[in-house]
Amino acid sequence: MESAGEAEHRLRPAAYTVAREARRLATVLDDEAAKPRWAQPARDRPRPDLGRPATPYTHAARGVVADAHEAMAAAVAADGAAGNG
């Protein structure tokens, strides 16, 4: 079983990763919202050959959710190691 310090050490970078990815997604959405509706990438047809997935928003959000799951696991471990679980 890992110590509370080790568990907290895993939690901090996981939390920063979630925040960074969420900010990145929000920035992309803000940039798209500033464009005219006809120029927004979500209205384009999927082009995997150009790196444009069929579901760009779902694809981006899926990464944030995966990072959040890792942060949750690290938080549970930190709470357990600190005797709070």
Side-chain angles (χ1 to χ4, degrees), residues 16-70:
Y16 280 112
T17 298
V18 171
R20 182 179 60 246
E21 291 303 310
R23 276 193 307 272
R24 186 180 60 78
L25 176 57
T27 299
V28 168
L29 293 173
D30 287 345
D31 290 347
E32 287 182 14
K35 296 178 184 177
R37 193 158 174 80
W38 58 266
Q40 294 179 4
R43 299 185 63 79
D44 291 343
R45 292 190 357 232
R47 290 291 306 271
D49 57 316
L50 297 178
R52 190 168 55 221
T55 54
Y57 299 135
T58 302
H59 181 75
R62 187 179 298 130
V64 175
V65 170
D67 292 336
H69 281 276
E70 288 182 32

